[in-house]
Amino acid sequence: MLRYVIPLLIFAVLALFLALGLKLNPRDIPSPLIDKPAPEFSLPVLSEPERQLSEQDFKGQVWLLNVWASWCVSCRSEHPVLNQLAKLNAAPIVGLNYKDEPDAARQWLAQLGNPYRVSIMDTEGRTGIDYGVYGVPETFVIDKQGLIRYKHTGPVTPEDVERMLLPMIAKLKAEN
């Protein structure tokens, strides 16, 4: 009898783990950088390549870092949402143009609109690696002290803006 009970129990436990796993969102990839300082960078500005910006230039304000590229199909679907978010002026959106050709990126923004207060170029992808970017698009919420407080993997949707980004931005702005 025990010979059949043990495999049945093992099967039941595995089925339970599978059922729990199926309820998880595969886009929710935990980031070890949450509540840690945003990695340092010094990168050229897309519109003025001779000018460099760093994460220190944004300290003292809540800001979003959106990783994007002109070759990214999902970025195209996300872009109208970012344009609408930028119009709300809730927080500056900084674009991290990831492994892209600068001319293609500038043309893309000219065609689709530019939601970014500024966009910086990460042509080698090293800054993306420092931020733990799995793919584009990804969006980080960074607080006034320069700590990463949230990471969104995949395209931002209007629901993400309403349910997550705007409340988090408001909460972080209210903090000292």
Side-chain angles (χ1 to χ4, degrees):
M1 176 76 171
L2 195 59
R3 176 175 155 192
Y4 298 107
V5 172
I6 290 175
L8 187 60
L9 282 174
I10 291 172
F11 175 77
V13 169
L14 290 175
L16 177 68
F17 283 128
L18 177 64
L20 292 173
L22 290 175
K23 291 182 179 181
L24 298 175
N25 184 349
R27 289 186 175 177
D28 290 340
I29 301 170
S31 173
L33 296 177
I34 300 300
D35 296 328
K36 302 267 186 343
E40 295 177 6
F41 63 81
S42 180
L43 294 170
V45 174
L46 180 64
S47 60
E48 304 170 63
E50 65 283 348
R51 187 173 142 221
Q52 299 269 323
L53 284 180
S54 76
E55 78 292 345
Q56 293 297 318
D57 293 311
F58 305 102
K59 221 163 189 176
Q61 59 184 327
V62 177
W63 57 288
L64 305 180
L65 179 69
N66 177 256
V67 184
W68 69 282
S70 64
W71 47 261
C72 165
V73 175
S74 296
C75 296
R76 186 170 286 270
S77 70
E78 175 188 64
H79 205 73
V81 177
L82 294 179
N83 281 330
Q84 289 299 316
L85 178 59
K87 287 179 185 173
L88 297 175
N89 209 19
I93 305 172
V94 175
L96 179 66
N97 185 242
Y98 185 70
K99 294 184 176 179
D100 204 356
E101 294 294 327
D103 288 339
R106 283 188 281 269
Q107 183 179 4
W108 200 75
L109 291 176
Q111 287 175 342
L112 301 175
N114 187 350
Y116 305 112
R117 175 153 311 162
V118 66
S119 196
I120 50 181
M121 297 185 291
D122 183 20
T123 53
E124 301 294 320
R126 296 190 188 280
T127 299
I129 290 171
D130 291 343
Y131 276 78
V133 171
Y134 293 96
V136 288
E138 289 188 9
T139 302
F140 297 84
V141 179
I142 301 170
D143 72 10
K144 296 175 190 174
Q145 288 76 39
L147 302 176
I148 294 177
R149 301 296 293 267
Y150 177 71
K151 176 183 177 182
H152 181 87
T153 304
V156 173
T157 65
E159 293 78 25
D160 296 326
V161 170
E162 289 299 321
R163 290 187 197 146
M164 192 62 199
L165 293 180
L166 289 177
M168 177 164 281
I169 291 168
K171 178 184 161 211
L172 294 176
K173 280 183 163 181
E175 291 179 358
N176 289 328

